[in-house]
Amino acid sequence: AAFTITHELHEGVTGRRKPGAVHGEHTADEAHERRLHGAAEHHTMLDIYYIAGAGLFMAMLVVVVVHVAWALESAKKKRQRKESQERVASGGSEKELYQPPGGLERTVQVCQITCSFSFAWCSLLACHWYVHIYAEIYEWTDIWAKVVMAMIVSAGSFVVISVFDKVADSEDTSAKVDRALHTLIYALGVLIGFSWEHAFDSGVEDIVQGKDHPALWK
């Protein structure tokens, strides 16, 4: 779901829908040569700002969804305490009975995960477009561009995670804020993983290029 959302945001931002590319406008060798020498769609800084803004919006949605989840959990705990008190008053056991998550709780959890992954994908896409501007200027190969992108994402995420972790450890923040920060930290961890996955995937593609059975070599 997160990948689909990001893909639609990509199409909405760039306004590019090229049927020829989908149906194989370039041969495999031509596509490899274009990718190897850093050939990519040209994206303006405005495109980058839009997709980065979408990522920030998804991050804010994560915070909102976390607050909703916290409110649902608090209401559930109050309801369970009330039921427990009623059981004790009627001579029953004080032990709380297990109640599986309801449909609304599961929906909120799915929304939280979807928004987190959408934030990661949008941030990765914005960084990818930004790096490729310099890749075209300095004629970097696709592998080097993706390695640079992964290093930038890793360094930036490390700084943000360090700040978020310090804030979450502070006694001045509430438990709701701590949970929202931890959720964003997990999303940044996913972002780092995505960036290095792209770099390694590009390297594998170049290694198997020209082999008789590239799928088996992968």
Side-chain angles (χ1 to χ4, degrees), residues 162-195:
S162 299
V163 173
F164 281 0
D165 188 55
K166 290 290 184 182
V167 174
D169 290 341
S170 173
E171 296 181 356
D172 297 330
T173 56
S174 64
K176 285 192 293 185
V177 174
D178 292 347
R179 178 179 292 189
L181 291 174
H182 287 148
T183 302
L184 291 175
I185 287 173
Y186 296 147
L188 288 169
V190 171
L191 173 60
I192 294 172
F194 281 162
S195 65

Coordinates of all heavy atoms in Angstrom, one line a residue, residues 162-195:
S162 N 19.3 10.4 16.5 CA 20.0 10.8 17.7 C 19.2 11.9 18.4 O 19.0 11.8 19.7 CB 21.4 11.3 17.4 OG 22.2 10.3 16.8
V163 N 18.7 12.9 17.7 CA 17.9 14.0 18.3 C 16.6 13.4 18.8 O 16.2 13.7 20.0 CB 17.6 15.1 17.3 CG1 16.7 16.1 17.8 CG2 18.9 15.7 16.8
F164 N 15.9 12.6 18.0 CA 14.6 12.0 18.5 C 14.8 11.2 19.7 O 14.0 11.2 20.6 CB 14.0 11.2 17.3 CG 13.3 12.0 16.3 CD1 13.3 13.4 16.4 CD2 12.7 11.4 15.2 CE1 12.6 14.2 15.4 CE2 12.1 12.1 14.2 CZ 12.0 13.5 14.3
D165 N 15.9 10.4 19.8 CA 16.1 9.5 20.9 C 16.4 10.3 22.2 O 15.9 10.0 23.2 CB 17.3 8.6 20.6 CG 17.5 7.6 21.6 OD1 16.6 6.8 21.9 OD2 18.6 7.5 22.2
K166 N 17.1 11.4 22.0 CA 17.4 12.3 23.2 C 16.1 12.9 23.7 O 15.9 13.0 24.9 CB 18.4 13.4 22.8 CG 19.8 12.9 22.5 CD 20.5 12.5 23.8 CE 21.9 12.1 23.6 NZ 22.6 11.6 24.8
V167 N 15.2 13.4 22.8 CA 14.0 14.0 23.2 C 13.1 12.9 23.8 O 12.4 13.2 24.8 CB 13.3 14.6 21.9 CG1 11.9 15.1 22.3 CG2 14.1 15.7 21.4
A168 N 13.0 11.7 23.3 CA 12.2 10.7 23.8 C 12.6 10.3 25.2 O 11.8 9.9 26.1 CB 12.2 9.4 22.9
D169 N 14.0 10.3 25.5 CA 14.5 9.9 26.8 C 14.3 11.0 27.8 O 14.5 10.8 29.0 CB 16.0 9.6 26.7 CG 16.3 8.3 25.9 OD1 15.3 7.5 25.8 OD2 17.4 8.1 25.4
S170 N 13.9 12.2 27.4 CA 13.7 13.3 28.3 C 12.5 13.1 29.1 O 11.5 12.5 28.7 CB 13.6 14.7 27.5 OG 13.2 15.7 28.4
E171 N 12.5 13.5 30.4 CA 11.4 13.4 31.3 C 10.3 14.4 31.0 O 9.2 14.4 31.6 CB 11.8 13.5 32.7 CG 12.8 12.4 33.1 CD 13.2 12.5 34.6 OE1 12.8 13.5 35.2 OE2 13.9 11.6 35.1
D172 N 10.6 15.4 30.1 CA 9.6 16.5 29.9 C 8.6 16.1 28.8 O 7.6 16.8 28.6 CB 10.4 17.7 29.4 CG 11.3 18.3 30.4 OD1 11.0 18.1 31.6 OD2 12.4 18.9 30.0
T173 N 8.8 14.9 28.1 CA 7.9 14.5 27.1 C 6.9 13.4 27.6 O 7.3 12.6 28.5 CB 8.6 13.9 25.9 OG1 9.5 12.9 26.3 CG2 9.5 15.0 25.2
S174 N 5.7 13.4 27.1 CA 4.7 12.5 27.6 C 4.9 11.1 26.8 O 5.7 11.0 25.9 CB 3.3 13.0 27.2 OG 3.1 13.1 25.8
A175 N 4.2 10.1 27.3 CA 4.3 8.8 26.7 C 3.8 8.8 25.3 O 4.4 8.0 24.4 CB 3.6 7.8 27.5
K176 N 2.8 9.6 25.0 CA 2.3 9.7 23.6 C 3.4 10.2 22.7 O 3.6 9.7 21.6 CB 1.1 10.6 23.6 CG -0.2 9.9 24.1 CD -1.4 10.7 23.8 CE -1.4 12.1 24.5 NZ -2.7 12.8 24.3
V177 N 4.1 11.3 23.1 CA 5.1 11.9 22.3 C 6.3 10.9 22.1 O 6.8 10.7 21.0 CB 5.7 13.2 22.9 CG1 6.9 13.7 22.1 CG2 4.5 14.2 23.0
D178 N 6.6 10.1 23.1 CA 7.7 9.1 23.1 C 7.3 8.1 22.0 O 8.2 7.7 21.2 CB 7.9 8.5 24.4 CG 8.5 9.5 25.4 OD1 9.0 10.6 25.0 OD2 8.5 9.2 26.6
R179 N 6.1 7.6 22.0 CA 5.7 6.6 21.1 C 5.7 7.1 19.7 O 6.2 6.4 18.7 CB 4.3 6.1 21.4 CG 3.8 5.0 20.4 CD 2.4 4.5 20.7 NE 2.4 3.7 21.9 CZ 1.4 2.9 22.3 NH1 0.3 2.9 21.6 NH2 1.4 2.2 23.4
A180 N 5.3 8.3 19.5 CA 5.3 8.9 18.1 C 6.8 9.0 17.6 O 7.1 8.7 16.5 CB 4.7 10.3 18.1
L181 N 7.7 9.5 18.5 CA 9.1 9.6 18.1 C 9.7 8.2 17.8 O 10.5 8.1 16.9 CB 9.9 10.3 19.2 CG 9.6 11.8 19.5 CD1 10.3 12.3 20.7 CD2 9.9 12.6 18.3
H182 N 9.4 7.2 18.6 CA 9.9 5.9 18.4 C 9.4 5.3 17.0 O 10.1 4.6 16.3 CB 9.5 4.9 19.5 CG 10.3 5.2 20.8 ND1 9.8 5.0 22.0 CD2 11.6 5.6 21.0 CE1 10.7 5.3 22.9 NE2 11.8 5.7 22.3
T183 N 8.1 5.6 16.7 CA 7.6 5.2 15.4 C 8.3 5.8 14.3 O 8.7 5.2 13.3 CB 6.1 5.5 15.3 OG1 5.4 4.9 16.4 CG2 5.5 5.0 14.0
L184 N 8.7 7.1 14.4 CA 9.4 7.8 13.3 C 10.9 7.3 13.3 O 11.4 7.2 12.2 CB 9.4 9.3 13.6 CG 8.1 10.0 13.4 CD1 8.1 11.5 13.8 CD2 7.6 9.9 12.0
I185 N 11.4 6.9 14.4 CA 12.7 6.3 14.4 C 12.8 5.0 13.6 O 13.7 4.7 12.8 CB 13.2 6.1 15.8 CG1 13.6 7.5 16.5 CG2 14.5 5.2 15.9 CD1 13.9 7.4 17.9
Y186 N 11.7 4.2 13.8 CA 11.6 2.9 13.1 C 11.5 3.2 11.6 O 12.1 2.5 10.8 CB 10.4 2.1 13.6 CG 10.5 1.7 15.0 CD1 9.4 1.6 15.8 CD2 11.7 1.4 15.6 CE1 9.5 1.1 17.1 CE2 11.8 1.0 16.9 CZ 10.7 0.9 17.7 OH 10.8 0.5 19.0
A187 N 10.7 4.2 11.2 CA 10.5 4.6 9.8 C 11.9 5.0 9.2 O 12.2 4.7 8.1 CB 9.5 5.7 9.7
L188 N 12.7 5.8 10.0 CA 14.0 6.2 9.5 C 14.9 5.0 9.3 O 15.7 5.0 8.4 CB 14.6 7.2 10.4 CG 14.0 8.6 10.4 CD1 14.5 9.5 11.6 CD2 14.2 9.3 9.1
G189 N 14.8 4.0 10.2 CA 15.6 2.8 10.0 C 15.2 2.1 8.8 O 16.1 1.6 8.0
V190 N 13.9 2.0 8.4 CA 13.5 1.4 7.2 C 14.0 2.2 6.0 O 14.4 1.7 5.0 CB 11.9 1.4 7.1 CG1 11.4 1.0 5.7 CG2 11.4 0.4 8.2
L191 N 14.0 3.6 6.1 CA 14.6 4.4 5.0 C 16.0 4.1 4.8 O 16.4 4.0 3.6 CB 14.4 5.9 5.4 CG 15.1 6.9 4.5 CD1 14.5 6.8 3.1 CD2 14.9 8.3 5.1
I192 N 16.8 3.9 5.8 CA 18.2 3.5 5.6 C 18.3 2.2 4.9 O 19.1 2.0 4.0 CB 19.0 3.5 7.0 CG1 19.0 4.9 7.6 CG2 20.4 2.9 6.8 CD1 19.5 4.9 9.0
G193 N 17.5 1.2 5.3 CA 17.5 -0.1 4.7 C 17.2 0.0 3.2 O 17.8 -0.6 2.3
F194 N 16.1 0.8 2.9 CA 15.7 1.0 1.5 C 16.9 1.6 0.6 O 17.1 1.2 -0.5 CB 14.5 2.0 1.4 CG 13.2 1.3 1.7 CD1 12.1 2.1 2.1 CD2 13.1 -0.1 1.7 CE1 10.9 1.5 2.4 CE2 11.9 -0.7 2.0 CZ 10.8 0.1 2.4
S195 N 17.6 2.6 1.2 CA 18.6 3.2 0.4 C 19.8 2.3 0.1 O 20.3 2.3 -1.1 CB 19.2 4.5 1.2 OG 19.8 4.1 2.4

